[in-house]
Structure formats: structure tokens, C-alpha cells
Amino acid sequence: METIAHLIDQFGYWAILAGTFLEGETILVLAGFAAHQGYLRLDLVILAAFIGSVSGDQLWFALSRHHGKRWLARRPGLAARFALATRWLERRPTLFLLGFRFLYGIRSVAPWAIGLSNVPARRFIILNVIAAAIWAASFGTIGYLFGAAVESMIGKLQQIEHRLLAAVVLGIVFVALARWIGQRLNRKVAGPPPAASGSDRDLEQDR
């Protein structure tokens, strides 16, 4: 029990920053729950999530500007989600830039789709900062209120909080590992992008 509390105290904010840099709603809700239990400060939880989310999406956006087409060509399994994100971006650009963090299923490909679009970098930065602030505050607060709701339903939450936190942490690790294994398997099944044949290369040269 003390080990879990010590780990949260020592690495909590860094774990939030790293988790939200990669993806993050689950770890942010857990951090809000931990804040309700007094392990973390809610304002610092929201700040760490904000920094992690903005940094991650800015990096994916920048990488997409230079390597997006090659990245997408190597991941044919993402083509459908990428096309959906692109359509939404073209129809409602401002709304999409503000809300893609809340769209399950295309959240991870959205910054790459935006990077390959004609959205100016300055506009993306401004709207990305606004959206990240809303996202971090909302999900951090949800986790905090979730802790209050659980406490009111169960009563003496102090007696089981360490077990509950441990279960949630293990759940996050399991989900992250399952996603990583799934991605590796999808890449193996898809295989590398097909190389151009000799006739295809000749046609390209004729053009």
C-alpha cells in the first residue's frame, strides 16, 4: 500500500505528462481520482496533462508536415480513420481542431491528418492550446468527481483505495500492452508497402 502511494507521489505528475503525451484520457481520469484522495494536486494534474497533450500533438503535427505521407503509406490499416479525420477537417476545420481530442477512434491520427492539410501552423498552435486546456480541465475534473462519487457510494473509501488504485493502474498497463501488441500484429499482417514493379517505374519515367 505504501509503495503505491510513494510511487504516485514521486512519479505521478511525470506519469501524467508522459501518458497524455502519447494519448491519455484514462491516466488523466485516474490522476483526478488520485487528486481527490489527496495524493496529487488537481491544479498540477491539469497542468501536467495540458503540457503533455499540447507537446504530443505539436510533435505529431510537425512530423506529419515532413513525413506524413510516408508514415501513412506504412500503416494501411489506418487509412479509413485517416480519411474520416480528413473529411471532418475539411467540413468543419475550426470545430475539428478544437474537438478532435474528444473523438474516440480518430484521436491518434487527427494530428497527422491536420499536418498533411493546408491548416497553417500558427492556427493549429493557437487552437491546439485552447483545446488542450479544455480537455485537461474537463477530464481531470471528471476523475476528481468520480472519486467523490465512489466515496459517497462505498463509504469508507480509505480502506480500499490502495487496492482500487492498484487495480486501475494494472488495467492501464494491460490496455497499453494490448494496444502495443495489436499494433505490432497489424503491421506484420499488413507487411511493408509493395515496391513498384519495373513496368510501373517505366511508366513513371515516361511521365
Side-chain angles (χ1 to χ4, degrees), residues 1-129:
M1 293 183 182
E2 294 299 327
T3 302
I4 295 173
H6 177 72
L7 289 174
I8 293 174
D9 181 63
Q10 293 295 314
F11 304 107
Y13 300 113
W14 289 108
I16 296 165
L17 196 152
T20 53
F21 181 90
L22 297 172
E23 199 162 349
E25 284 86 356
T26 305
I27 194 169
L28 180 52
V29 171
L30 172 62
F33 177 85
H36 177 267
Q37 296 309 115
Y39 291 110
L40 302 170
R41 284 174 47 184
L42 182 61
D43 57 342
L44 295 181
V45 165
I46 292 172
L47 177 61
F50 167 77
I51 295 173
S53 183
V54 168
S55 302
D57 288 322
Q58 287 299 146
L59 176 61
W60 312 141
F61 174 84
L63 288 174
S64 182
R65 279 282 148 109
H66 300 284
H67 309 289
K69 292 182 179 179
R70 184 168 56 185
W71 177 85
L72 183 61
R74 293 177 178 176
R75 294 163 177 82
L78 297 178
R81 283 188 286 169
F82 194 91
L84 179 60
T86 301
R87 287 198 300 271
W88 286 358
L89 175 62
E90 291 173 348
R91 292 176 183 175
R92 297 286 188 275
T94 301
L95 186 61
F96 183 79
L97 291 172
L98 288 173
F100 70 82
R101 281 178 176 80
F102 300 90
L103 300 176
Y104 181 79
I106 65 171
R107 166 72 179 87
S108 58
V109 302
W112 293 88
I114 298 168
L116 283 176
S117 72
N118 59 359
V119 172
R122 182 179 178 183
R123 185 184 183 197
F124 177 70
I125 292 172
I126 294 172
L127 294 179
N128 191 36
V129 166

